[in-house]
Amino acid sequence: MHGLGPVFRRELAGYFVTPVAYVFIVIFLILTGIFTFELGNFFERNQSDLRAFFDFHPWLYLFLIPAVSMRLWAEERKTGTLELLMTLPVSRAAAVAGKFLAAWAFTGVALVLTFPVWITVNYLGRPDNGAIFFGYIGSLLMAGGFLAIGACISACTKSQVIAFILTVVVCFLFLLAGFSPVTNFLQGWAPPIIVDTIQSFSFLTRFDSIAKGVIDARDMVFFASLIVVCLFINGVVLESKKS
Amino acid sequence: MQTFIELKQLTKWFGSPNSGGIKAVDSISFKVETGEVLGFLGPNGAGKSTTMKMVTGFLAPTSGSATVCGHDVQAEPLAVKKRIGYLPEGAPAYMDMTPEAFLEFCAQVRGLKGEAKKQAIKKAVDRTHIGGVLRQPVETLSKGFKRRVGLAQAILHEPDVLIMDEPTDGLDPNQKHEVRLLIREMAKAHAEGKGGRAVVLSTHILEEVEAVCSRVVLIARGRIVADCTPAEFMSKSRYHNAVTLALIPPPGVMIFEELKRIPSVESVEDNGTNKTADGTQVRCTVIARHGKAIAHEVSHLVKAKGWQVDMMRVEAGRLDDVFRELTTSSR
């Protein structure tokens, strides 16, 4: 992992020297607010939990995370800095991990900045703060999954637009895999094992239980292994497709 | 004498050899040793950049091997990358960073810390004269300054091997001149620096070779077609030791015929005439047979005939002439 630290720091600082970070964070916070309080009926539900807040995260991430991940490698390819980075004494694993971790840390910052919602719910009632904590952890893991998919796709192209659209589509498929109309449709004809397999890849199903505060190691392992697999593919793509 | 770079039968295919692939680099072998400044020459698309990308570990060769300071590029990429300073084609840099932050990043990646890092950055900044633009984002800099930032990055860690891909390409004549001076100065300091090091630069600009390099490797269609010193390279020219004259002969004298009578003269090229106050000035280039020295014989003839000489110059050879001949001749 030679060079992980400098790559991580450079990448993270890169978000904040351009308006990207600020635009992203502001939009993320505005949208979480709208979703939680308007669409999620936070007050009308009369319950002191953050379901209304977490339930919309998958859909929010669907469009916001690809906007973060699209530039990871596509930009390096376009400007030729990929050649520079790959000829500096940085191992490939360190470059892949450093960039991913920086993007992940950045979304983590955006997520932490939603803390007023947590303050609100604690002011209004007595929520299960343990469940909320794991909800945040789950949300962060899911963001990591989206990001890893996005990083992998960004490594395949020079165009950030293509990276964005493809990432949205792929992430949408991962979300839909557990959407009830889709599972109902599949159950009509596909054998149960296929339905189960497809459903097990669903971000929605996995995240739903985490958002409820149910901690299942399998969900955590799912997201963690998804990240590892995507980053591994990311490295392979970089090695095989250089010019 | 230490071997810094050794290429053995280095070959690169783009695409499959069996189905319409392109052989970009074809069994290239050479060594670069202490103190050498190697000019890697060739027309566009000859395989210069591809070869350099294989030496720096960016591309993997299809077959053959590249060794830098005794480390195989494929087997020990990190050891190789630590010893190389590389300026890729077009000098890419992170556009939204300032040169200061960019050099800081490169220094960190190179494992430089604390005072050593500060000194290294300061030295590289001083040598490339970019002190005035350190706090401006790279994207706002002129091409010449961008190139210097790239150079600063490449020499930052005082590498054993400095590799530059078309360092002056795309610059205006002033910038070209400045970057070339810089390279000459750096290459000299570099090649002679602590215990001697090696420099490789690719180019298709021939003045650059004459100005900077101690050795020339010319490639065409992925193969080496010449490997020699710039002087030897020029002596391959048919203009080597040719004599260019401007003189005013008395009317009616066939000076071309007279010149051709000298035994070691191959031919005489007519460069046209020029009307002057003293009469019609004839300009020509007398080409020597097999590059023999003919200046003495020509001047002797001119003196004996009493022609008025306005100009007389011995040619060293024309690089672009040799370049064209070697890179366009059939395989």
Side-chain angles (χ1 to χ4, degrees), chain B residues 225-260:
Chain B
V225 291
D227 182 350
C228 51
T229 66
E232 285 166 353
F233 189 75
M234 284 204 278
S235 72
K236 290 180 198 288
S237 167
R238 55 192 291 263
Y239 291 103
H240 182 57
N241 278 340
V243 177
T244 296
L245 290 168
L247 37 80
I248 301 175
V253 178
M254 305 293 285
I255 60 159
F256 291 179
E257 299 307 317
E258 301 270 4
L259 284 167
K260 273 182 209 164

Side-chain angles (χ1 to χ4, degrees), chain A residues 2-3 6-7 9-10 14 17-18 71 76 79-91 239 242-243, chain B residues 14 53 56-60 78 81-82 86 88-89 92-97 102 105-106 108-111 153:
Chain A
H2 195 278
V7 171
R9 283 193 296 275
R10 193 205 75 75
V17 293
T18 58
R71 59 185 283 278
E76 298 248 0
T79 57
T81 46
L82 186 64
E83 186 173 352
L84 183 77
L85 183 63
M86 299 313 257
T87 51
L88 284 172
V90 176
S91 70
E239 178 59 31
K242 277 180 173 165
S243 42
Chain B
F14 287 115
K53 283 173 184 173
T56 53
F58 183 59
L59 290 179
L78 280 185
K81 286 167 186 179
K82 276 180 192 168
Y86 178 40
E89 195 171 358
Y94 292 103
M95 288 298 158
D96 47 19
M97 291 179 106
F102 178 62
F105 164 68
C106 295
Q108 285 174 1
V109 168
R110 298 277 182 198
Q153 167 273 123

